[in-house]
Amino acid sequence: MDVTTDAAAPWLIVGLGNPGPEYAGNRHNVGFMVADLLAERVGGRFKRAGRAQAQVVEGRIGPPGPLNRRVIVAKPMSYMNLSGGPVNALRDFYKVPVAHVVAVHDELDIDYGTLRLKLGGGDNGHNGLKSMTKAFGADYHRVRFGIGRPPGRMPVADFVLKDFSSAERKELDYFVDRAADAVECLVIEGLERAQSTYNS
């Protein structure tokens, strides 16, 4: 089902990350950071989502009228590589078409702070996306937040599970804010407008 066939359906915005304070500042958790900001913007607090292993905030974004969208902002509370189960349970519960799911996640192959928005495609080795695609197919939106490649010979797994560097943290709030803006633009105005504005 695509966006045009069910414009009134809610949107499910999923920030990908790992639960627990020890992961909170990791590069792999930038999706959680964006979800936290979006929850703040819609004026809600995360709460446990029934039987789904996730925390959610329900709200609305966009101006009053036809562009106003109902959104569910979610953080799966499984680990990253098991994200698909909780997201699919939320999708079923809230009756969200796959094309109205937006995954916000870290992306190694893009420079730090750069955004790329797209619909569908592969998982590029990202375990959260891999799990989601296995659960309900690949035809969901992605907001890819660049974290760059690891320096030297550092293994990828170590790099993504490290906190942002002190130099990166100076700009992190700005980039997270911009990613949240991109998600809102995607949901309210559509992918093409969001890509032309935020794909840098």
Side-chain angles (χ1 to χ4, degrees):
M1 189 183 296
D2 64 29
V3 177
T4 53
T5 57
D6 198 358
W11 285 77
L12 177 59
I13 301 162
V14 182
L16 292 177
N18 285 307
E22 68 272 34
Y23 298 106
N26 289 180
R27 293 181 177 93
H28 221 21
N29 269 44
V30 74
F32 273 20
M33 298 173 197
V34 176
D36 286 338
L37 180 55
L38 286 165
E40 211 176 284
R41 289 185 181 184
V42 301
R45 300 182 65 164
F46 280 103
K47 63 181 193 299
R48 196 78 182 185
R51 292 184 181 180
Q53 201 179 353
Q55 292 184 348
V56 297
V57 171
E58 296 179 56
R60 302 193 78 87
I61 61 174
L67 293 179
N68 191 260
R69 307 282 188 240
R70 181 179 169 221
V71 296
I72 299 99
V73 181
K75 297 192 293 187
M77 290 289 112
S78 60
Y79 285 93
M80 178 72 87
N81 60 345
L82 300 172
S83 302
V87 176
N88 205 29
L90 292 173
R91 206 179 64 74
D92 284 346
F93 180 76
Y94 289 104
K95 298 181 171 48
V96 178
V98 174
H100 278 215
V101 176
V102 182
V104 185
H105 64 92
D106 57 304
E107 178 64 64
L108 286 158
D109 288 336
I110 302 175
D111 290 340
Y112 174 60
T114 299
L115 296 176
R116 291 275 191 280
L117 287 81
K118 68 173 190 171
L119 174 63
D123 56 57
N124 205 21
H126 193 287
N127 287 330
L129 298 182
K130 197 175 290 183
S131 179
M132 286 176 61
T133 297
K134 188 176 176 186
F136 53 84
D139 295 331
Y140 53 91
H141 288 86
R142 300 102 191 275
V143 175
R144 304 154 72 203
F145 186 111
I147 59 169
R149 301 294 303 187
R153 296 188 175 181
M154 182 190 289
V156 164
D158 293 348
F159 178 69
V160 299
L161 293 176
K162 277 191 165 36
D163 287 1
F164 286 100
S165 69
S166 54
E168 288 169 334
R169 281 200 296 273
K170 289 176 183 168
E171 295 183 291
L172 183 59
D173 285 349
Y174 167 75
F175 288 139
V176 167
D177 193 68
R178 192 164 181 271
D181 289 347
V183 172
E184 291 191 354
C185 183
L186 166 63
V187 169
I188 296 165
E189 299 187 67
L191 180 61
E192 281 185 29
R193 170 60 67 88
Q195 285 175 326
S196 67
T197 307
Y198 293 98
N199 276 16
S200 43

